[in-house]
Amino acid sequence: MTLEAFCKTPACFSVALLGFGRANRAVLAWLRERGGTATVYTEAPLPPEVENTYAEQGVVFHVGAFPAVFTEQALIRSPGIRPDIPAILRSVAAGALLASEVELLMSLLPCRCIGITGSDGKTTTAKRLGTQLRILGLDPVLISLDDYFVDRDKTPLDENGDYDFEALEAIDLELLNSDLKRLTAGES
């Protein structure tokens, strides 16, 4: 089975979610929207209200050590689950598909540009995602808005007379747009 075949008809396959953080919850929601479901394997117990909510939807949970071999046809692993765990290796050798959440995401959303927003953790998240994409054989280019601030004499001031780096005018939009157009056209 290929990841492409799985993405087209996920309800036709038995699926194991290895780990159950935020991303695999999104994978489960994606599966359920398409008529599928999954068995969740997690090392640590989930809060009862979380487990009960999903159990009411027919999701089966296995808490603790992984089985000797997974019986599911597709294994979707969280980043914290190493792909070289013996149970995973045995399952793949027996024909199971193994994919990470990032691989699944990139198969479903073959995009040229990923934006990361928020107040904390953007650079760390971008670097970790860049590493995952390189593992998949892609060649990501990481850019940061910090690289596009205008010179200080052009930076707007806030009501207290301090530099306002949150203002749109603090960004060299012409350069940012030019670079984004080049990157999406495949140039570097």
Side-chain angles (χ1 to χ4, degrees), residues 88-142:
I88 294 174
L89 294 174
R90 284 190 288 274
S91 300
V92 171
L97 168 74
L98 173 63
S100 70
E101 296 163 342
V102 174
E103 288 172 298
L104 182 59
L105 172 70
M106 295 308 293
S107 292
L108 295 170
L109 305 170
C111 56
R112 306 275 304 157
C113 183
I114 299 171
I116 300 171
T117 65
S119 57
D120 294 321
K122 295 179 296 294
T123 300
T124 300
T125 300
K127 287 180 179 178
R128 291 181 75 182
L129 181 58
T131 299
Q132 290 294 317
L133 294 173
R134 280 186 204 86
I135 290 169
L136 296 175
L138 301 173
D139 188 23
V141 176
L142 304 180

Side-chain angles (χ1 to χ4, degrees), residues 4-187:
E4 183 178 292
F6 172 73
C7 290
K8 287 181 181 176
T9 57
C12 296
F13 301 100
S14 56
V15 180
L17 298 181
L18 311 182
F20 201 57
R22 288 187 189 130
N24 257 349
R25 291 178 194 188
V27 171
L28 180 59
W30 174 80
L31 280 169
R32 295 196 53 75
E33 287 171 4
R34 284 149 186 82
T37 190
T39 301
V40 174
Y41 294 86
T42 180
E43 295 174 325
L46 296 168
E49 64 275 8
V50 172
E51 188 170 339
N52 291 340
T53 297
Y54 287 101
E56 288 171 4
Q57 300 171 15
V59 177
V60 177
F61 287 88
H62 291 279
V63 178
F66 288 153
V69 65
F70 294 96
T71 59
E72 291 83 6
Q73 298 165 303
L75 312 176
I76 309 297
R77 67 178 184 84
S78 294
I81 306 294
R82 295 178 48 97
D84 58 356
I85 292 172
I88 294 174
L89 294 174
R90 284 190 288 274
S91 300
V92 171
L97 168 74
L98 173 63
S100 70
E101 296 163 342
V102 174
E103 288 172 298
L104 182 59
L105 172 70
M106 295 308 293
S107 292
L108 295 170
L109 305 170
C111 56
R112 306 275 304 157
C113 183
I114 299 171
I116 300 171
T117 65
S119 57
D120 294 321
K122 295 179 296 294
T123 300
T124 300
T125 300
K127 287 180 179 178
R128 291 181 75 182
L129 181 58
T131 299
Q132 290 294 317
L133 294 173
R134 280 186 204 86
I135 290 169
L136 296 175
L138 301 173
D139 188 23
V141 176
L142 304 180
I143 63 171
S144 170
L145 281 184
D146 292 348
D147 300 328
Y148 294 92
F149 283 121
V150 296
D151 292 332
R152 291 291 180 265
D153 62 330
K154 296 178 184 170
T155 303
L157 303 176
D158 65 15
E159 62 276 357
N160 298 323
D162 297 322
Y163 291 119
D164 186 358
F165 297 109
E166 301 299 318
L168 192 57
E169 296 80 13
I171 303 293
D172 184 341
L173 292 176
E174 189 174 316
L175 178 60
L176 175 61
N177 285 331
S178 171
D179 286 352
L180 288 174
K181 285 179 184 176
R182 284 190 7 258
L183 287 170
T184 57
E187 302 172 27

